[in-house]
Amino acid sequence: MESSGGRAEAPGRGPRVLVVGGGIAGLGAAQRLCGHPAFRRLRVLEATSRAGGRICSERSFGNGLSRNPFPDPLSGTQRVSPELCRSWGYQGLTNRIMASLPEDVVVFNKPVKTIHWNGSFREASSPGETCPVLVECEDGGCFPAHHVIVTVPLGFLKERLDTFFEPPLPTQKAEAIRKIGFGTNNKIFLEFEEPFWEPDCQFIQVVWEDTSPLQDGASELQHVWFKKLIGFLVLPSFESAHVLCGFIAGLESEFMETLSDEEVLLSLTQVLRRVTGNAELPAPRSVLRSRWHSAPYTRGSYSYVAVGSSGDDVDLLAQPLPADGAEAQVLFAGEATHRAFYSTTHGALLSGWREADRLIALWDTQAQLPEPRL
Ligand SMILES: Cc1cc2nc3c(=O)[nH]c(=O)nc-3n(C[C@H](O)[C@H](O)[C@H](O)COP(=O)(O)OP(=O)(O)OC[C@H]3O[C@@H](n4cnc5c(N)ncnc54)[C@H](O)[C@@H]3O)c2cc1C
Ligand SMILES: *[C@@H]1O[C@H](CO)[C@@H](O)[C@H](O)[C@H]1NC(C)=O
């Protein structure tokens, strides 16, 4: 007889659970499940070589700057100066959760290609056990599971919608993924030999007086992309590093990602020369920037409720599959699945806990049944 729940198939051993993505949502889910005795067979499959996803300290930008002059407060997650301390917290949060997980729970460099659900799969090592889900990785590796928590960014889901789920997602859920917005926001760090700003200066605001509405088209963007810069945050000096952090969002930010470091440095030097009125202003000695839209496993920065979408789409995205069953084969977490706190780190963490709690509740309910579901 076909069985459906984890408990019935693996009495005493608990269900096989896979978490796809080792960002804060995936790590939060894993941490919660690890605290429960039934979830011993747990793996987090992470596409890249590090945990944390969009919580990304400067070190992962590469070796663009000499001597790694950035301490952790400049991690990938702060927006403006009051949040500097929060970023410290974010990186610390990732590190703490990682340290709390049993070794080998997180598998790195394991990009998932397709999630086969609504099936009946077996693993050679335990032929008596059937699982409704099979997670197929890009390297050909396959992992059967009773439950899979998908935490990949919405940008990635949008791009791979046609191939990531087999059978494809129900129409309504696919629609929600198309409708919810996923924007790009990047930071550009400029390191200077000497500060040209006053010691008490915290933010350099750029105001364009000749603003004509920004126009579409790559040829136009070439000449105007930098006008989208909000301004430059003056970072606290660290040893002899004097660093400004520029913020740029939208299409112009995506365009910036296609330019070389030299092109960005040249354009921003010209901007700063215009702003200061000093045509001799020395160019920064190095540039370092995020490129979230080009990152293959992210494809943008964070979600927003786009025109034509609503909180209901977020809830739809968060619904487990299959839609009509109590089984929860495929669950959805991640920043974009939190109706109230989408786009934020705490929204991502809460969503991971939410889905872990869903599985724990499912397990506890099944454990109370007089006999296993067969
Ligand atoms: C520039 C910037 C500034 C921000 N500022 C703030 C802020 O000030 N405050 C705030 O609260 N939030 C901020 N955020 C948002 C916050 O960083 C995110 O909401 C949060 O980190 C998202 O966590 P997540 O786990 O949902 O997704 P992610 O961190 O993106 O984790 C998803 C993981 O899935 C992995 N993955 C993707 N595809 C696959 C695959 N096929 N197989 C396996 N693994 C895969 C990815 O590599 C990644 O590790 C900012 C984000 C950016 C980019
Ligand atoms: C799931 O499998 C059942 C039984 O094989 C089938 O009737 C149903 O249509 C499938 N659902 C989807 C979404 O493919």
Side-chain angles (χ1 to χ4, degrees), residues 19-27 45-48 50-56 75-80 83 86-87 90 110-113 138 151-153 156 160 164 182 185-187 290 292 296-298 300-303 333-336 341-349 351:
V19 177
V20 181
I24 202 67
L27 295 179
L45 305 179
E46 166 53 44
T48 69
R50 61 167 194 91
R54 279 168 274 171
I55 297 178
C56 171
S75 92
T77 54
Q78 84 263 357
R79 273 177 195 154
V80 285
E83 306 203 56
R86 279 179 51 185
S87 307
Y90 292 154
K110 263 296 183 208
V112 167
K113 186 180 162 200
E138 279 177 15
T151 75
V152 303
F156 178 90
R160 307 285 185 98
F164 202 59
F182 200 67
N185 196 351
N186 281 306
K187 295 176 188 178
S290 58
W292 288 111
Y297 297 108
T298 314
S301 297
Y302 38 78
S303 65
E335 157 276 294
F341 302 136
Y342 62 86
S343 91
T344 68
T345 300
H346 50 289
L349 182 62
S351 75

Side-chain angles (χ1 to χ4, degrees), residues 151-227:
T151 75
V152 303
L154 181 65
F156 178 90
L157 274 187
K158 282 175 180 286
E159 191 182 58
R160 307 285 185 98
L161 197 52
D162 294 339
T163 54
F164 202 59
F165 299 96
E166 181 52 47
L169 295 180
T171 319
Q172 268 199 320
K173 203 180 188 70
E175 257 323 286
I177 290 173
R178 286 194 200 97
K179 273 156 70 178
I180 303 169
F182 200 67
T184 299
N185 196 351
N186 281 306
K187 295 176 188 178
I188 308 174
F189 296 104
L190 299 175
E191 188 200 17
F192 292 84
E193 209 75 54
E194 295 296 334
F196 63 83
W197 50 91
E198 297 297 318
D200 61 351
C201 174
Q202 291 181 343
F203 197 85
I204 298 170
Q205 186 97 40
V206 187
V207 180
W208 298 92
E209 289 177 343
D210 58 342
T211 39
S212 59
L214 296 178
Q215 282 164 25
D216 279 353
S219 58
E220 293 294 329
L221 281 177
Q222 183 86 46
H223 305 293
V224 297
W225 69 268
F226 43 82
K227 293 192 177 182

Side-chain angles (χ1 to χ4, degrees), residues 58-59 62-74 189-192 235-243 285-286 288:
E58 79 299 335
R59 272 177 283 275
N63 296 321
L65 287 181
S66 51
R67 288 176 298 101
N68 180 25
F70 298 137
D72 262 359
L74 319 182
F189 296 104
L190 299 175
E191 188 200 17
F192 292 84
L235 299 180
S237 286
F238 181 74
E239 294 181 0
S240 59
H242 308 287
V243 181
R285 73 174 174 199
S286 60
L288 187 65

